[in-house]
Amino acid sequence: MTMDFADRVERVAPSATLAISDLAADLEAEGVDVVDLSVGEPDFPTPAHVVEAGRDALDAGHTTYTPSNGIPELKTAIVETLAGNGLEYTTDEIIVTPGAKQALYETFQALVDPGDEVVLLDPAWVSYEAMAKMAGADLARVDLARQDFRLEPALDALGETVADDTDLLVVNSPSNPSGAVFADAALAGVRDLAVDHDVTVVSDEIYEAITYGVEQTSLGTLDGMADRTVTINGFSKAYAMTGWRLGYLAGPASLVEQAGKLHSHSVSCAANFVQHAGVAALEGPDGPVAEMREAFRARRDMLVDRFAEHGIDVPVPDGAFYLMLPVDRDCDAMDGSRGGDGEALDQAWCEGAIEEAHVATVPGSAFGTPGYARLSYAASEERLAAGIDRLADAGYL
Ligand code: PMP
Ligand code: GLU
């Protein structure tokens, strides 16, 4: 029998970030030493006090289902954390999810009907497009790459795109993959458009704790935004908890009511003991977060300097742990014999880099911006330096 798959699934591609890190893992299993700069996953262990809280929770028997939207202690800790960012939410306005990805998925499913318009700012993290498509959305995209990944110079273009029939706009600051942290003036521009055209905004703030000398502003704090913003956050990046799968959405109670139905019928709840570990992450010492942030900043500085030594100017990221390397340049490995323009070229660069230099990166086209490769610098300085040496030796810089 040939199964007849649903259009909504057939129209999306697998996650490019995860696919490339799987490829890197396959090569490593064959004995190849790969410098894996593909997936965005902190290379630090989860802070010890968080692990201990998870272990204690298991010992204490926290192994059952929890209330679907999360344990009260965690929802309270989340509300207090959000209040620290100037966001006013109550515990009834939170859903605790297995990862921020699930929070985003539920948000798209709850808000987007087939044919609704969803606006993305490119480069945009790979899963927004897939989630929008799975909800049946029509996508409109606004390019920030030509503006050094800044939003302010693209506000006019955004103004031409966002219209009364726009349903959802996705903002991710600090951004994966560009590392841009959008300025307050740019966010005010987003607010004006959202209010004028009655648009809901998804503000994915999962990298909010990872900024370098600049302040991240939560969109929901802006006048007129509280009841039209869904704030997404999670524990994977700030607390190095990718494998624990813990995140949340915060939004108006009406959204929580609708998304909560999807949540209870799909995942039931996030894992019980993991939620207890989450309380420890939010309420415990934040020294480990600061240490990781400083390490990421040192790595960013090193990468920017090393690329400059090779004559390559990279837009300096102010947050997250990614950097967009322009690959649409002359280099020995890409002497015109492969790739073409745009998408094909960055795909060819990334394929060559992993096959010949054994350095794994993600093509910019996966994020809607061909001509770049995304490097994750959630890797040690030694590995990053080795990665650059290998790329240079193989003619990719
Ligand atoms: N949003 C962005 C921008 C991300 O980079 C990620 C990384 N996976 C997520 C959401 C989801 O993170 P998680 O599901 O691990 O919480
Ligand atoms: N968000 C990370 C990345 O972009 C993890 C992989 C994923 O969830 O797509 O690499």
Side-chain angles (χ1 to χ4, degrees), residues 6-15 101 105 108-109 112-114 118 126-139:
D7 288 349
R8 66 178 176 281
V9 184
E10 287 197 308
R11 67 179 153 244
V12 303
S15 164
K101 221 177 223 180
Y105 186 77
F108 277 90
Q109 288 294 322
V112 178
D113 271 321
V118 172
V126 291
S127 293
Y128 301 140
E129 173 180 334
M131 289 187 196
K133 281 186 177 165
M134 284 190 277
D138 288 338
L139 280 163

Side-chain angles (χ1 to χ4, degrees), residues 289-305:
V289 180
E291 277 167 34
M292 289 188 262
R293 181 170 47 235
E294 282 320 302
F296 291 137
R297 183 207 282 257
R299 296 165 181 186
R300 174 203 66 171
D301 292 346
M302 185 206 86
L303 277 182
V304 171
D305 289 350

